[in-house]
Protein backbone atom coordinates (compact mmCIF):
# COMPACT_ATOMS: atom_id res chain seq x y z
CA UNK A 1 0.00 0.00 0.00
CA UNK A 2 2.73 2.43 1.01
CA UNK A 3 4.80 1.61 -2.07
CA UNK A 4 1.79 2.20 -4.33
CA UNK A 5 1.24 5.65 -2.77
CA UNK A 6 4.88 6.58 -3.35
CA UNK A 7 4.63 5.31 -6.91
CA UNK A 8 1.55 7.44 -7.56
CA UNK A 9 3.28 10.51 -6.12
CA UNK A 10 6.27 9.81 -8.35
CA UNK A 11 4.00 9.62 -11.39
CA UNK A 12 2.29 12.88 -10.45
CA UNK A 13 5.64 14.64 -10.11
CA UNK A 14 7.56 13.23 -13.05
CA UNK A 15 5.34 11.44 -15.59
CA UNK A 16 4.05 13.74 -18.36
CA UNK A 17 0.97 11.52 -18.75
CA UNK A 18 -0.11 12.72 -15.30
CA UNK A 19 0.69 16.37 -15.99
CA UNK A 20 -2.90 17.57 -16.08
CA UNK A 21 -3.82 15.74 -12.89
CA UNK A 22 -0.96 17.55 -11.15
CA UNK A 23 -1.96 20.81 -12.82
CA UNK A 24 -5.58 20.41 -11.73
CA UNK A 25 -4.51 19.86 -8.12
CA UNK A 26 -2.26 22.92 -8.24
CA UNK A 27 -4.95 25.14 -9.77
CA UNK A 28 -7.56 23.94 -7.27
CA UNK A 29 -5.21 24.38 -4.34
CA UNK A 30 -4.19 27.85 -5.44
CA UNK A 31 -7.83 28.83 -5.96
CA UNK A 32 -8.53 27.89 -2.33
CA UNK A 33 -5.41 29.73 -1.15
CA UNK A 34 -6.47 32.83 -3.08
CA UNK A 35 -9.89 32.80 -1.43
CA UNK A 36 -8.26 32.51 1.99
CA UNK A 37 -5.99 35.46 1.22
CA UNK A 38 -8.96 37.61 0.22
CA UNK A 39 -10.81 36.53 3.36
CA UNK A 40 -8.08 37.16 5.91
CA UNK A 41 -5.65 39.72 4.42
CA UNK A 42 -6.85 43.34 4.17
CA UNK A 43 -7.21 45.01 0.78
CA UNK A 44 -4.90 47.99 0.14
CA UNK A 45 -6.04 50.83 -2.09
CA UNK A 46 -3.40 52.05 -4.54
CA UNK A 47 -4.60 52.59 -8.11
CA UNK A 48 -8.11 51.07 -8.23
CA UNK A 49 -9.82 54.31 -7.21
CA UNK A 50 -7.84 56.22 -9.84
CA UNK A 51 -8.86 53.72 -12.52
CA UNK A 52 -12.50 54.30 -11.63
CA UNK A 53 -12.16 58.10 -11.59
CA UNK A 54 -10.64 57.90 -15.07
CA UNK A 55 -13.66 55.89 -16.22
CA UNK A 56 -16.03 58.41 -14.63
CA UNK A 57 -14.50 61.10 -16.82
CA UNK A 58 -14.61 58.81 -19.86
CA UNK A 59 -18.30 58.10 -19.31
CA UNK A 60 -18.96 61.82 -19.11
CA UNK A 61 -17.64 62.12 -22.67
CA UNK A 62 -13.99 63.07 -22.13
CA UNK A 63 -11.73 61.61 -24.81
CA UNK A 64 -8.65 63.82 -24.56
CA UNK A 65 -6.05 61.93 -22.50
CA UNK A 66 -4.61 65.18 -21.15
CA UNK A 67 -7.88 65.86 -19.32
CA UNK A 68 -8.37 62.38 -17.87
CA UNK A 69 -6.69 62.34 -14.47
CA UNK A 70 -7.30 60.94 -10.98
CA UNK A 71 -6.01 60.84 -7.38
CA UNK A 72 -2.70 59.17 -8.26
CA UNK A 73 -2.15 60.73 -11.66
CA UNK A 74 -3.26 60.99 -15.30
CA UNK A 75 -4.36 58.19 -17.57
CA UNK A 76 -1.16 56.69 -18.98
CA UNK A 77 -2.45 53.36 -20.28
CA UNK A 78 -3.64 52.48 -23.80
CA UNK A 79 -7.28 52.18 -24.84
CA UNK A 80 -7.69 48.50 -23.95
CA UNK A 81 -7.23 49.43 -20.30
CA UNK A 82 -10.11 51.89 -20.59
CA UNK A 83 -12.47 49.39 -22.23
CA UNK A 84 -11.76 46.71 -19.60
CA UNK A 85 -12.18 49.08 -16.69
CA UNK A 86 -15.33 50.54 -18.18
CA UNK A 87 -16.82 47.04 -17.87
CA UNK A 88 -15.43 46.65 -14.35
CA UNK A 89 -16.88 50.07 -13.49
CA UNK A 90 -20.30 48.76 -14.50
CA UNK A 91 -19.99 45.43 -12.67
CA UNK A 92 -18.59 46.82 -9.40
CA UNK A 93 -20.92 49.80 -8.93
CA UNK A 94 -18.40 52.37 -10.15
CA UNK A 95 -15.64 50.61 -8.24
CA UNK A 96 -17.33 50.86 -4.85
CA UNK A 97 -17.88 47.11 -4.55
CA UNK A 98 -14.25 46.21 -3.96
CA UNK A 99 -15.11 42.70 -2.72
CA UNK A 100 -16.70 41.88 -6.06
CA UNK A 101 -13.70 43.34 -7.85
CA UNK A 102 -11.43 41.13 -5.76
CA UNK A 103 -13.44 38.07 -6.76
CA UNK A 104 -13.03 39.00 -10.42
CA UNK A 105 -9.29 39.40 -9.97
CA UNK A 106 -9.20 36.18 -7.99
CA UNK A 107 -10.75 34.36 -10.95
CA UNK A 108 -8.27 36.15 -13.21
CA UNK A 109 -5.40 34.89 -11.06
CA UNK A 110 -6.64 31.29 -11.22
CA UNK A 111 -6.99 31.64 -15.00
CA UNK A 112 -3.38 32.84 -15.18
CA UNK A 113 -2.22 29.74 -13.30
CA UNK A 114 -4.19 27.51 -15.70
CA UNK A 115 -2.68 29.28 -18.71
CA UNK A 116 0.83 28.91 -17.32
CA UNK A 117 0.20 25.19 -16.79
CA UNK A 118 -0.84 24.91 -20.46
CA UNK A 119 2.27 26.80 -21.59
CA UNK A 120 4.50 24.59 -19.43
CA UNK A 121 2.84 21.44 -20.73
CA UNK A 122 3.58 22.38 -24.33
CA UNK A 123 7.15 23.31 -23.38
CA UNK A 124 7.49 19.88 -21.71
CA UNK A 125 8.38 21.33 -18.33
CA UNK A 126 8.53 18.66 -15.55
CA UNK A 127 5.31 18.20 -13.58
CA UNK A 128 6.88 19.06 -10.23
CA UNK A 129 7.62 22.57 -11.51
CA UNK A 130 3.93 23.42 -11.15
CA UNK A 131 4.25 23.20 -7.38
CA UNK A 132 6.35 26.38 -7.49
CA UNK A 133 3.62 28.50 -9.09
CA UNK A 134 1.45 29.22 -6.01
CA UNK A 135 4.39 30.21 -3.78
CA UNK A 136 4.68 33.92 -4.59
CA UNK A 137 3.33 36.16 -1.85
CA UNK A 138 3.83 39.28 -3.97
CA UNK A 139 1.97 37.91 -7.00
CA UNK A 140 -1.14 37.06 -4.99
CA UNK A 141 -1.03 40.58 -3.57
CA UNK A 142 -0.75 42.18 -7.02
CA UNK A 143 -3.87 40.38 -8.19
CA UNK A 144 -6.34 40.25 -5.31
CA UNK A 145 -5.09 42.78 -2.75
CA UNK A 146 -4.06 45.60 -5.12
CA UNK A 147 -6.16 45.06 -8.31
CA UNK A 148 -3.47 46.31 -10.70
CA UNK A 149 -4.16 46.50 -14.43
CA UNK A 150 -0.94 44.56 -15.11
CA UNK A 151 -2.98 41.43 -14.39
CA UNK A 152 -5.11 41.90 -17.53
CA UNK A 153 -2.10 42.46 -19.75
CA UNK A 154 -0.51 39.33 -18.28
CA UNK A 155 -3.54 37.18 -19.11
CA UNK A 156 -3.54 38.32 -22.74
CA UNK A 157 0.22 37.74 -23.01
CA UNK A 158 -0.10 34.22 -21.59
CA UNK A 159 -2.94 33.41 -23.98
CA UNK A 160 -0.85 34.81 -26.85
CA UNK A 161 2.18 32.67 -25.90
CA UNK A 162 -0.05 29.60 -25.83
CA UNK A 163 -1.46 30.50 -29.27
CA UNK A 164 2.04 31.00 -30.72
CA UNK A 165 3.10 27.67 -29.21
CA UNK A 166 0.17 26.06 -31.05
CA UNK A 167 1.13 27.85 -34.31
CA UNK A 168 -2.13 29.83 -34.20
CA UNK A 169 -0.21 32.95 -35.07
CA UNK A 170 -3.16 34.98 -36.37
CA UNK A 171 -4.93 34.44 -33.04
CA UNK A 172 -1.69 35.01 -31.16
CA UNK A 173 -1.05 38.41 -32.72
CA UNK A 174 -4.57 39.57 -31.83
CA UNK A 175 -4.12 38.44 -28.23
CA UNK A 176 -0.71 40.08 -28.08
CA UNK A 177 -2.23 43.28 -29.42
CA UNK A 178 -4.84 43.16 -26.66
CA UNK A 179 -2.06 42.81 -24.08
CA UNK A 180 -0.28 45.81 -25.58
CA UNK A 181 -3.55 47.77 -25.55
CA UNK A 182 -3.76 47.35 -21.76
CA UNK A 183 -0.16 48.17 -20.88
CA UNK A 184 2.83 49.15 -22.97
CA UNK A 185 5.07 46.72 -21.06
CA UNK A 186 3.98 43.91 -23.40
CA UNK A 187 6.27 45.45 -26.02
CA UNK A 188 9.19 43.72 -24.24
CA UNK A 189 8.14 40.49 -25.97
CA UNK A 190 8.19 42.04 -29.44
CA UNK A 191 11.87 41.37 -30.34
CA UNK A 192 11.51 37.67 -29.59
CA UNK A 193 8.17 37.56 -31.38
CA UNK A 194 9.68 39.07 -34.53
CA UNK A 195 12.32 36.32 -34.56
CA UNK A 196 9.65 33.64 -34.20
CA UNK A 197 7.40 35.05 -36.93
CA UNK A 198 10.28 35.65 -39.34
CA UNK A 199 11.63 32.12 -38.90
CA UNK A 200 8.20 30.50 -39.07
CA UNK A 201 6.64 32.51 -41.93
CA UNK A 202 9.18 34.77 -43.61
CA UNK A 203 9.32 38.50 -44.28
CA UNK A 204 5.93 39.15 -45.91
CA UNK A 205 3.90 37.35 -43.25
CA UNK A 206 5.87 39.06 -40.48
CA UNK A 207 5.04 42.45 -41.97
CA UNK A 208 1.39 41.41 -42.26
CA UNK A 209 1.28 40.45 -38.58
CA UNK A 210 2.81 43.79 -37.60
CA UNK A 211 0.18 45.60 -39.67
CA UNK A 212 -2.54 43.63 -37.87
CA UNK A 213 -0.96 44.69 -34.59
CA UNK A 214 -0.97 48.36 -35.59
CA UNK A 215 -4.51 48.23 -36.98
CA UNK A 216 -5.85 46.60 -33.82
CA UNK A 217 -4.30 49.33 -31.69
CA UNK A 218 -5.81 51.97 -33.95
CA UNK A 219 -9.30 50.46 -33.84
CA UNK A 220 -9.28 50.13 -30.06
CA UNK A 221 -8.13 53.75 -29.65
CA UNK A 222 -10.26 55.22 -32.43
CA UNK A 223 -12.30 57.63 -30.28
CA UNK A 224 -9.19 58.90 -28.48
CA UNK A 225 -7.24 59.32 -31.70
CA UNK A 226 -10.07 61.34 -33.22
CA UNK A 227 -10.23 63.59 -30.16
CA UNK A 228 -6.49 64.20 -29.86
CA UNK A 229 -4.11 61.70 -31.42
CA UNK A 230 -0.97 63.39 -30.14
CA UNK A 231 -2.23 63.42 -26.55
CA UNK A 232 -3.20 59.75 -26.73
CA UNK A 233 0.09 58.50 -28.17
CA UNK A 234 2.18 60.68 -25.84
CA UNK A 235 0.37 59.46 -22.71
CA UNK A 236 -0.35 55.81 -23.58
CA UNK A 237 2.98 54.99 -25.25
CA UNK A 238 5.45 57.36 -23.63
CA UNK A 239 8.82 55.63 -23.92
CA UNK A 240 10.59 58.54 -22.23
CA UNK A 241 8.46 58.53 -19.06
CA UNK A 242 10.41 59.37 -15.89
CA UNK A 243 9.35 57.41 -12.80
CA UNK A 244 9.59 58.51 -9.19
CA UNK A 245 12.72 57.31 -7.44
CA UNK A 246 10.85 56.40 -4.24
CA UNK A 247 8.97 53.57 -5.97
CA UNK A 248 11.88 51.91 -7.77
CA UNK A 249 12.54 48.28 -6.90
CA UNK A 250 15.51 47.67 -9.20
CA UNK A 251 17.81 50.71 -8.98
CA UNK A 252 17.75 51.70 -5.30
CA UNK A 253 21.54 51.36 -5.09
CA UNK A 254 21.86 54.21 -7.64
CA UNK A 255 21.54 57.76 -6.30
CA UNK A 256 18.43 59.71 -7.26
CA UNK A 257 20.25 62.23 -9.44
CA UNK A 258 21.74 59.47 -11.58
CA UNK A 259 18.43 57.57 -11.64
CA UNK A 260 16.61 60.59 -13.09
CA UNK A 261 19.32 61.60 -15.56
CA UNK A 262 18.83 61.24 -19.34
CA UNK A 263 22.33 59.73 -19.60
CA UNK A 264 21.28 56.86 -17.31
CA UNK A 265 18.17 56.23 -19.43
CA UNK A 266 20.23 56.21 -22.63
CA UNK A 267 22.75 53.82 -21.09
CA UNK A 268 19.98 51.39 -20.12
CA UNK A 269 18.49 51.60 -23.60
CA UNK A 270 21.89 50.91 -25.15
CA UNK A 271 22.38 47.92 -22.87
CA UNK A 272 18.90 46.61 -23.69
CA UNK A 273 19.46 46.83 -27.44
CA UNK A 274 22.97 45.37 -27.20
CA UNK A 275 21.85 42.28 -25.28
CA UNK A 276 18.82 41.73 -27.54
CA UNK A 277 20.98 41.98 -30.65
CA UNK A 278 23.51 39.59 -29.10
CA UNK A 279 20.84 36.97 -28.44
CA UNK A 280 19.49 37.50 -31.95
CA UNK A 281 22.91 37.15 -33.57
CA UNK A 282 24.39 34.33 -31.53
CA UNK A 283 21.68 32.36 -29.73
CA UNK A 284 18.17 32.38 -31.19
CA UNK A 285 19.17 31.15 -34.67
CA UNK A 286 21.83 28.57 -33.83
CA UNK A 287 19.63 25.68 -34.87
CA UNK A 288 19.15 27.27 -38.31
CA UNK A 289 22.85 27.60 -39.09
CA UNK A 290 23.20 31.14 -37.76
CA UNK A 291 21.43 34.46 -38.17
CA UNK A 292 23.16 35.20 -41.49
CA UNK A 293 21.58 32.17 -43.11
CA UNK A 294 18.17 32.97 -41.64
CA UNK A 295 18.32 36.53 -43.00
CA UNK A 296 19.60 35.31 -46.35
CA UNK A 297 16.75 32.84 -46.73
CA UNK A 298 14.18 35.32 -45.46
CA UNK A 299 15.24 38.09 -47.86
CA UNK A 300 15.79 35.82 -50.84
CA UNK A 301 12.43 34.10 -50.41
CA UNK A 302 10.30 36.62 -48.48
CA UNK A 303 7.11 34.61 -48.91
CA UNK A 304 8.49 31.44 -47.32
CA UNK A 305 9.75 30.49 -43.81
CA UNK A 306 13.26 31.78 -43.09
CA UNK A 307 14.16 29.15 -40.51
CA UNK A 308 15.27 25.56 -40.90
CA UNK A 309 14.87 24.29 -37.34
CA UNK A 310 11.28 23.76 -36.15
CA UNK A 311 9.82 26.68 -34.20
CA UNK A 312 8.41 24.34 -31.57
CA UNK A 313 6.47 25.22 -28.39
CA UNK A 314 9.58 25.04 -26.22
CA UNK A 315 11.45 27.42 -28.51
CA UNK A 316 8.51 29.85 -28.52
CA UNK A 317 8.18 29.91 -24.73
CA UNK A 318 11.94 30.21 -24.16
CA UNK A 319 12.58 32.99 -26.68
CA UNK A 320 9.54 35.07 -25.67
CA UNK A 321 10.21 34.85 -21.94
CA UNK A 322 13.92 35.56 -22.44
CA UNK A 323 13.08 38.61 -24.52
CA UNK A 324 10.83 39.78 -21.69
CA UNK A 325 13.53 39.11 -19.07
CA UNK A 326 16.06 41.19 -20.99
CA UNK A 327 13.64 44.11 -21.03
CA UNK A 328 12.99 43.77 -17.31
CA UNK A 329 16.69 43.80 -16.47
CA UNK A 330 17.21 47.07 -18.36
CA UNK A 331 13.93 48.73 -17.37
CA UNK A 332 14.42 52.31 -16.21
CA UNK A 333 12.32 51.55 -13.16
CA UNK A 334 10.39 48.57 -11.83
CA UNK A 335 7.45 49.10 -9.48
CA UNK A 336 6.16 46.33 -7.25
CA UNK A 337 3.27 45.38 -9.52
CA UNK A 338 5.72 44.84 -12.39
CA UNK A 339 6.77 41.56 -10.76
CA UNK A 340 3.69 40.07 -12.42
CA UNK A 341 5.43 40.57 -15.77
CA UNK A 342 7.65 37.53 -15.17
CA UNK A 343 6.95 35.92 -11.79
CA UNK A 344 5.25 32.87 -13.30
CA UNK A 345 7.99 32.54 -15.93
CA UNK A 346 10.83 32.14 -13.44
CA UNK A 347 10.59 28.32 -13.10
CA UNK A 348 10.80 27.95 -16.89
CA UNK A 349 13.64 30.46 -17.21
CA UNK A 350 15.76 28.88 -14.48
CA UNK A 351 15.29 25.48 -16.11
CA UNK A 352 16.68 26.88 -19.34
CA UNK A 353 20.01 27.23 -17.53
CA UNK A 354 22.46 24.42 -16.76
CA UNK A 355 22.60 25.38 -13.10
CA UNK A 356 22.12 22.69 -10.43
CA UNK A 357 18.66 22.45 -8.89
CA UNK A 358 19.76 24.18 -5.68
CA UNK A 359 21.09 27.18 -7.63
CA UNK A 360 17.86 27.44 -9.62
CA UNK A 361 15.84 27.48 -6.40
CA UNK A 362 18.22 30.03 -4.86
CA UNK A 363 17.77 32.37 -7.83
CA UNK A 364 13.98 32.21 -7.60
CA UNK A 365 14.14 32.67 -3.83
CA UNK A 366 16.40 35.71 -4.13
CA UNK A 367 14.13 37.31 -6.72
CA UNK A 368 10.98 36.66 -4.66
CA UNK A 369 12.71 38.06 -1.56
CA UNK A 370 13.79 41.24 -3.37
CA UNK A 371 10.27 41.91 -4.63
CA UNK A 372 8.87 41.55 -1.10
CA UNK A 373 11.21 44.06 0.55
CA UNK A 374 9.27 47.31 1.07
CA UNK A 375 10.55 49.89 0.70
CA UNK A 376 13.34 48.58 -1.46
CA UNK A 377 16.92 48.93 -0.24
CA UNK A 378 20.28 49.06 -2.02
CA UNK A 379 20.79 45.45 -0.90
CA UNK A 380 17.43 44.18 -2.20
CA UNK A 381 17.86 46.04 -5.51
CA UNK A 382 21.39 44.75 -5.94
CA UNK A 383 20.26 41.21 -5.15
CA UNK A 384 17.43 41.47 -7.70
CA UNK A 385 19.73 42.71 -10.43
CA UNK A 386 22.37 40.08 -9.65
CA UNK A 387 19.85 37.23 -9.68
CA UNK A 388 18.27 38.40 -12.94
CA UNK A 389 21.68 38.77 -14.60
CA UNK A 390 22.91 35.39 -13.39
CA UNK A 391 19.74 33.79 -14.71
CA UNK A 392 20.16 35.49 -18.09
CA UNK A 393 23.80 34.40 -18.29
CA UNK A 394 22.69 30.90 -17.39
CA UNK A 395 20.25 30.90 -20.29
CA UNK A 396 22.97 32.20 -22.64
CA UNK A 397 25.25 29.28 -21.75
CA UNK A 398 22.35 26.89 -21.27
CA UNK A 399 19.34 26.38 -23.50
CA UNK A 400 18.53 29.73 -25.21
CA UNK A 401 16.46 27.94 -27.86
CA UNK A 402 14.74 25.58 -25.44
CA UNK A 403 15.64 22.14 -24.16
CA UNK A 404 14.00 20.17 -26.97
CA UNK A 405 16.84 19.37 -29.32
CA UNK A 406 16.57 19.40 -33.11
CA UNK A 407 17.99 16.29 -34.75
CA UNK A 408 20.02 16.36 -37.97
CA UNK A 409 17.28 14.25 -39.57
CA UNK A 410 14.70 16.96 -38.84
CA UNK A 411 16.93 19.62 -40.38
CA UNK A 412 17.57 17.51 -43.49
CA UNK A 413 13.82 17.04 -43.93
CA UNK A 414 13.47 20.82 -44.03
Amino acid sequence: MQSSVFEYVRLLLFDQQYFWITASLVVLGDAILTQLIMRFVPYTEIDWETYMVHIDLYLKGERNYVNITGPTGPLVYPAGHVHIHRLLHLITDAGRNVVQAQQIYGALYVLSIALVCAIYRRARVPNWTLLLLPLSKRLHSIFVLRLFNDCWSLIFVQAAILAFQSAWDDVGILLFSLALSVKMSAILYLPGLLVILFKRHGLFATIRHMLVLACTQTLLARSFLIANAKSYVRNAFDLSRVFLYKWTVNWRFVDERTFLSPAWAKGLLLGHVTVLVSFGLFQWCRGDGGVARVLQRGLRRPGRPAGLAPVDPDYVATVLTTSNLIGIIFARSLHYQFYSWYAQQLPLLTQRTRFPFIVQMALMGAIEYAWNVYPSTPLSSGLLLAANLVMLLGIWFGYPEGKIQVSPKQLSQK
Side-chain angles (χ1 to χ4, degrees), residues 45-57 68-75 77 81:
E45 170 57 43
I46 297 181
D47 283 339
W48 174 254
E49 181 184 354
T50 296
Y51 297 161
M52 294 299 106
V53 171
H54 290 164
I55 301 304
D56 285 334
L57 293 171
I68 302 178
T69 188
T72 60
L75 178 56
Y77 309 114
H81 162 91

Side-chain angles (χ1 to χ4, degrees), residues 117-365:
C117 289
I119 291 168
Y120 278 18
R121 177 66 180 89
R122 293 195 63 82
R124 302 184 70 83
V125 171
N127 303 11
W128 61 263
T129 310
L130 304 182
L131 301 179
L132 301 172
L133 295 177
L135 300 183
S136 175
K137 173 185 174 182
R138 176 61 67 184
L139 189 61
H140 283 94
S141 174
I142 290 167
F143 271 85
V144 299
L145 301 180
R146 304 294 190 271
L147 310 182
F148 284 118
N149 68 338
D150 303 75
C151 306
W152 295 95
S153 181
L154 173 65
I155 288 293
F156 289 128
V157 162
Q158 290 172 331
I161 292 174
L162 187 58
F164 289 127
Q165 284 182 305
S166 305
W168 300 342
D169 294 345
D170 290 333
V171 175
I173 202 67
L174 290 174
L175 290 167
F176 178 71
S177 187
L178 289 175
L180 190 59
S181 78
V182 176
K183 197 150 189 180
M184 186 178 60
S185 57
I187 204 169
L188 299 180
Y189 293 91
L190 188 58
L193 179 57
L194 287 171
V195 172
I196 289 166
L197 293 175
F198 188 72
K199 287 180 60 175
R200 182 178 275 171
H201 299 292
L203 180 61
F204 289 162
T206 301
I207 293 173
R208 176 175 64 83
H209 281 98
M210 291 304 102
L211 289 174
V212 170
L213 182 66
C215 289
T216 306
Q217 296 300 310
T218 302
L219 287 173
L220 289 170
R222 182 173 176 271
S223 63
F224 301 110
L225 292 171
I226 292 172
N228 190 325
K230 184 178 180 181
S231 169
Y232 174 76
V233 173
R234 185 174 62 242
N235 281 41
F237 297 99
D238 184 6
L239 295 172
S240 62
R241 186 178 306 152
V242 179
F243 294 94
L244 295 176
Y245 180 69
K246 70 176 182 178
W247 295 119
T248 187
V249 178
N250 55 331
W251 300 119
R252 183 66 65 183
F253 55 86
V254 175
D255 66 86
E256 186 171 5
R257 183 177 178 181
T258 300
F259 175 83
L260 297 174
S261 69
W264 175 254
K266 291 176 182 176
L268 290 174
L269 179 60
L270 178 61
H272 187 186
V273 172
T274 300
V275 175
L276 279 174
V277 170
S278 298
F279 267 85
L281 289 176
F282 304 113
Q283 299 296 350
W284 288 339
C285 298
R286 291 191 307 182
D288 306 278
V291 69
R293 292 188 179 181
V294 172
L295 289 173
Q296 184 181 39
R297 284 190 294 268
L299 296 176
R300 190 175 65 237
R301 303 178 301 175
R304 300 181 62 183
L308 284 179
V311 183
D312 57 49
D314 187 20
Y315 179 90
V316 169
T318 302
V319 169
L320 288 177
T321 54
T322 303
S323 178
N324 183 49
L325 173 63
I326 294 167
I328 288 170
I329 289 173
F330 291 98
R332 187 168 185 179
S333 184
L334 294 174
H335 294 179
Y336 285 95
Q337 65 268 33
F338 297 177
Y339 186 37
S340 63
W341 296 1
Y342 77 137
Q344 294 167 327
Q345 299 170 5
L346 293 175
L348 171 71
L349 288 167
T350 54
Q351 290 183 24
R352 294 304 173 261
T353 72
R354 297 181 186 272
F355 296 142
F357 174 80
I358 189 66
V359 176
Q360 294 179 18
M361 295 301 104
L363 286 173
M364 285 191 287

Side-chain angles (χ1 to χ4, degrees), residues 393-409:
L393 284 171
I395 295 168
W396 178 278
F397 293 107
Y399 306 97
E401 294 182 292
K403 276 191 171 181
I404 300 175
Q405 301 297 313
V406 181
S407 68
K409 182 179 178 181

Side-chain angles (χ1 to χ4, degrees), residues 60-80:
K60 291 176 182 177
E62 185 58 67
R63 296 295 183 271
N64 189 333
Y65 258 49
V66 170
N67 300 326
I68 302 178
T69 188
T72 60
L75 178 56
V76 292
Y77 309 114

Side-chain angles (χ1 to χ4, degrees), residues 97-108:
N97 192 340
V98 175
V99 172
Q100 190 169 20
Q102 285 184 285
Q103 288 297 330
I104 293 171
Y105 274 77
L108 200 67

